[in-house]
Amino acid sequence: MKLVVATLLLVSLILLGSSPLTTADYGRPTAPPPASPPTFCDSKCSARCAKAGVMDRCLKYCGLCCKQCGCVPSGTYGNKSECPCYGNMKNSKGTSKCP
């Protein structure tokens, strides 16, 4: 009886084929993806956030706004009239979303 159960279990594992136990890469660490070249938004937001107190937050929101609007105002503060979409975006609190 034990031999029949073991045989059925082995056959079912072979037939499934997509079981995580049979996947060769299961549990192996993967290499990080290659770094992408700097984009328009990356360079513009780096300049925009150069004097920011919380750099990572400034870069995050600037990047989101830039991707949606396709532009970033010049300088590190103000000048939002250069890019109306960027200047008009609001967060849930009603204040400016873009730095």
Side-chain angles (χ1 to χ4, degrees), residues 45 48-62 99:
C45 288
R48 181 80 177 170
C49 297
K51 295 182 180 180
V54 185
M55 179 74 74
D56 58 338
R57 188 178 299 162
C58 181
L59 290 171
K60 174 185 174 183
Y61 289 108
C62 179

Side-chain angles (χ1 to χ4, degrees), residues 3-57:
L3 182 61
V4 172
V5 172
T7 305
L8 288 174
L9 179 62
L10 182 62
V11 169
S12 66
L13 286 175
I14 291 171
L15 291 177
L16 286 175
S18 63
S19 170
L21 297 174
T22 61
T23 305
D25 293 332
Y26 184 73
R28 291 186 186 171
T30 58
S36 60
T39 63
F40 168 79
C41 290
D42 292 339
S43 61
K44 291 290 192 176
C45 288
S46 292
R48 181 80 177 170
C49 297
K51 295 182 180 180
V54 185
M55 179 74 74
D56 58 338
R57 188 178 299 162

Side-chain angles (χ1 to χ4, degrees), residues 61 64-66 68-69 80 83-91 94-98:
Y61 289 108
L64 292 171
C65 295
C66 177
Q68 189 166 356
C69 296
K80 290 186 179 181
C83 182
C85 171
Y86 189 97
N88 294 333
M89 289 183 75
K90 304 289 183 207
N91 62 18
T95 60
S96 180
K97 178 177 186 172
C98 307

